[in-house]
Amino acid sequence: MTGEGLSDKNVSKAHSKELSVLTSYRLNDFKKKAAFTLAEVLITLGIIGIVAAMTIPTLISNYQKKQRLVQLKNSFSVVSNAIRLSEVDNGPMTIWPTGADMDIDEYWTKYLKPYFANPVLCMTMKDCGYDDSFDTIKWGCGAQWNIMTSDARLLFKLKNGTIVFLPRNSYEADSTPIYVSTLYIDVNGASSPNECGKDVFVFKRTEKGIMPYPASGRDCHTSPSVCADVIMKNGWEYPEDYPY
């Protein structure tokens, strides 16, 4: 009896040892199968890199577009509010002096400068950060302007980086420059892309204050000067077919 009991115990221990060894082998085999080879790791990293290269630029571009929408709305608000404050003191912008009755220095010091927070008048485009390489035609919505303070032009930078440009495009019979009723707003200043409909937008003085240059049936694709109006009428969002 005693011998048989010891024999059974020995057999049980032998079985346990065999089971332990077998389990160990299986675990080691599983670990070997679960491990990645260097080639597999490199392939995986390569795929991740390709996906990142394809998606990151799109994510950055979408972020920049959204950011410019915010800048557009904020810039419009700042300029519009400043004009309204000036109109309280100086009457509607539609009756401000133009042509022969206009003194550009007075226009700046009386009608504009006091109503913005620390605006900087740019005597040349370089004073506002622009360089000679940027395309003035794209910036000017198809019109090429000499972007500098001269005669009836005003180019100034706001505290938030926005740049406002009030151009001149015609003359009185006596060759006196006529101050036009439109103004350009570059929502991110001299930073790229400096292109109409992307970061440069056109506005017009009206009896209701500063408003986007009206589309009036024109398309933003072919007439980028009306893009701000298209965006504003779409709840300050890009329409699905916006050319950007």
Side-chain angles (χ1 to χ4, degrees), residues 86-201:
S86 182
E87 287 180 322
V88 171
D89 295 336
N90 303 305
M93 189 181 186
T94 51
I95 66 168
W96 293 0
T98 61
D101 298 325
M102 179 184 182
D103 181 299
I104 194 65
D105 293 325
E106 178 189 19
Y107 202 94
W108 168 246
T109 57
K110 178 179 179 179
Y111 294 94
L112 296 175
K113 184 179 179 180
Y115 304 96
F116 291 95
N118 301 316
V120 176
L121 183 63
C122 303
M123 299 305 294
T124 67
M125 62 185 186
K126 290 183 179 180
D127 290 341
C128 271
Y130 296 111
D131 57 40
D132 297 326
S133 65
F134 86 102
D135 191 330
T136 55
I137 295 179
K138 286 184 178 180
W139 191 97
C141 303
Q144 185 172 11
W145 300 102
N146 183 14
I147 306 173
M148 59 184 292
T149 298
S150 175
D151 296 325
R153 301 185 189 95
L154 277 174
L155 180 68
F156 58 98
K157 181 167 59 176
L158 305 182
K159 188 176 181 180
N160 65 356
T162 297
I163 291 175
V164 182
F165 177 52
L166 295 88
R168 176 202 75 199
N169 70 346
S170 60
Y171 295 85
E172 297 281 12
D174 63 355
S175 298
T176 302
I178 297 176
Y179 171 74
V180 297
S181 61
T182 56
L183 65 152
Y184 292 70
I185 297 180
D186 192 337
V187 300
N188 62 349
S191 299
S192 61
N194 289 319
E195 187 171 341
C196 189
K198 294 185 177 180
D199 60 343
V200 180
F201 300 90

